[in-house]
Amino acid sequence: MKSSVSLKYNNLSGQKAFIIFLLLILNVIQGTAQHDVDKYEQYSKVYNVNIKDDSIADYMTGLKTKLENAIEEKEDFQIAENSLFLGLMYLRLNSYDIATDYYLTALNHFKLIKDTTYIIHTLRALSFVNSLVNNDSIALRYSLENLHYCESVKDSFLLEKNYINLGICYSKLDDEVTAIKYFNKAVEFGERLNDTVLLQRIYYNIGSYYEKSKDYTRAEHFYYKGLNIEKGKDKQIIANIYSSLSMIALNRGNYEKALTNIKKALEIAESYGGYKDQETFYKTYISILIKMGKTKNLLTVFDKYSEIQNKGFNADKAEQIAKMKILYELDQFESEIELLTAKNKLNQSKLRASKNRLIIAGVVIFLVMIILVSTAIQYFRIKKSHKKIVEENIKLIKAEEKNTELQKIILNENLSGISLATDSHPVNSSRETQNEEAKNIEELFLQVKSLLETEKLYTNPDISIGTLAKKLNSNRTYLSKAINTVSGKTFIEFINEYRIAEAKRILYSKESDFITIEAIGNKAGFNSKATFFRVFKSVAGVTPNYFQKNARKYSFH
């Protein structure tokens, strides 16, 4: 540069040339500084983007396209910058692993071109994302590396931010001495720069650390220092400070002070619409009211808490849907990129491209045909299976109709001369007692079947084992044992089999043409349509609708 200046101004006096040279150097320095400011502004703009904006997916696909082009052209700066911005976007989408991969790519390329400003931003991003997933030791490693770069550029603002990060890292690792050391350094830089917003955050972080350590006196000291800053107040930080002061007062048993502070926290949180903060604050509010015994106010506060909880849930849901939509659109874009890349490779040779297209088309057609054939086979198998199930059920209906009279005669013969079961049994030998009990159980079961089939008690939706036991002069325990021993079923399973048989009979008859499925279920003894459908499908293998529609069609007379 000196040689170019001397050539250009060789006719000027030495003093004039020196002044112009200084101006040029100053201009270069100012340009570099402005460029660094532009980088920070661009970084902040990307990080603070509204994730619900419909253009976010387009913006990210644009970044991916730029990144692909930069990789092809081997442009390190463009590779690094676009990777960094993509990492920031994926961080906002809670895809931390993907974000980390992009950050590492950015860091490697920024180091290749020795772009210190962007190295600092990338290291801070890496520290932050690792802190989010509780990789505290890795977060600390990136923050310490970042400190080296911040000190090399002597940027007070960047140093202040990094000191805060280091303080947080060490506090999470329970290293009190080192954490306070870096927090104090951050305070020193913040006061020198008169950076009131960051100072508030620093005081809040220090207070939080002491509160976690149950050193409430020191915690209060730093919280009040944060509140006493007049300019550039961060509402969210102030609200959280008041909430923390409320918790300290609550732990000390000073409920009135705790109540006053939590009300202030809620008032501020409502002004900036922080649903999650409000939800947390209302929990504290409710705890305080319970401690104070103010039950009259509790219901009102709880209603408000529920309202805020619902609003927060809806807001979170909307954000999650927006994030899922973006990720879906990005997946589609990546699929399209992969397809285009494949096509570009194929175009390198027309002959090979034609062959490949034919192969791909053939494979696709073959796969589609396989899918179609498989689907058709599966469909006909299911249809055939359902047909068989219906036919089997029809056979059962007809068999039951033919055997009904015979069963009644047999039951009457078996029951003639049988006395009703009771719990009293004569004392006999062990084997005789067991044989007698088995015989009594079988006789009681036959009585149950006779009673059910004669009076159709199962059509009563309110029938219970107690009702049957009373009719048979037995007790519910003995009756339940008889049903379970002989049929291997519970009482409700036993009754439901009768109900389903009745429902199938009605569905198969012409009677079903004039009443609804639900009414048929009611006639069979079910008081719920959902229960009727569930039990019918479980027993018959098909739904009532399907059975009604196909029963007569598949019937063979």
Side-chain angles (χ1 to χ4, degrees), residues 149-183:
Y149 284 100
C150 289
E151 288 174 342
S152 69
V153 296
K154 296 183 173 127
D155 187 314
S156 299
F157 178 71
L158 293 175
L159 273 169
E160 180 188 16
K161 278 181 170 292
N162 201 57
Y163 285 144
I164 296 172
N165 289 343
L166 283 165
I168 293 170
C169 287
Y170 278 112
S171 65
K172 289 179 79 174
L173 292 167
D174 295 323
D175 187 342
E176 177 183 355
V177 175
T178 314
I180 297 303
K181 166 189 163 185
Y182 282 110
F183 279 137

Side-chain angles (χ1 to χ4, degrees), residues 233-364:
K233 288 188 175 181
D234 185 322
K235 286 185 177 182
Q236 188 174 14
I237 290 294
I238 294 172
N240 277 282
I241 288 175
Y242 275 119
S243 173
S244 297
L245 288 169
S246 176
M247 287 301 298
I248 290 172
L250 181 62
N251 289 327
R252 287 175 167 173
N254 191 342
Y255 301 139
E256 289 294 340
K257 188 176 180 181
L259 189 62
T260 302
N261 284 325
I262 204 63
K263 283 181 177 179
K264 287 180 181 177
L266 278 166
E267 183 182 347
I268 297 166
E270 285 170 3
S271 70
Y272 65 80
Y275 292 125
K276 287 190 177 180
D277 285 342
Q278 288 181 68
E279 187 179 336
T280 304
F281 300 162
Y282 270 112
K283 285 180 184 177
T284 305
Y285 197 172
I286 290 167
S287 298
I288 295 167
L289 290 176
I290 291 170
K291 290 280 187 182
M292 296 178 78
K294 292 189 175 184
T295 53
K296 290 182 180 179
N297 301 333
L298 197 57
L299 187 58
T300 305
V301 174
F302 189 80
D303 286 343
K304 188 67 178 172
Y305 165 70
S306 298
E307 181 187 338
I308 292 298
Q309 198 175 36
N310 288 334
K311 286 181 180 179
F313 174 78
N314 290 334
D316 287 344
K317 188 176 179 182
E319 185 170 323
Q320 287 300 320
I321 290 170
K323 288 177 179 179
M324 288 172 66
K325 182 182 175 184
I326 292 168
L327 289 171
Y328 173 74
E329 290 178 6
L330 288 172
D331 286 341
Q332 281 189 318
F333 170 76
E334 288 178 354
S335 299
E336 290 172 6
I337 289 294
E338 288 175 5
L339 184 62
L340 288 171
T341 303
K343 284 184 177 181
N344 287 333
K345 288 179 179 179
L346 291 173
N347 286 334
Q348 292 174 2
S349 169
K350 288 185 179 181
L351 181 61
R352 188 169 58 186
S354 299
K355 287 180 180 179
N356 285 342
R357 279 196 294 270
L358 287 171
I359 291 168
I360 292 169
V363 169
V364 170

Side-chain angles (χ1 to χ4, degrees), residues 395-407:
K395 288 177 183 178
L396 283 173
I397 292 170
K398 290 180 179 179
E400 285 172 2
E401 287 174 352
K402 288 179 182 178
N403 293 330
T404 299
E405 292 301 322
L406 180 60
Q407 286 177 353

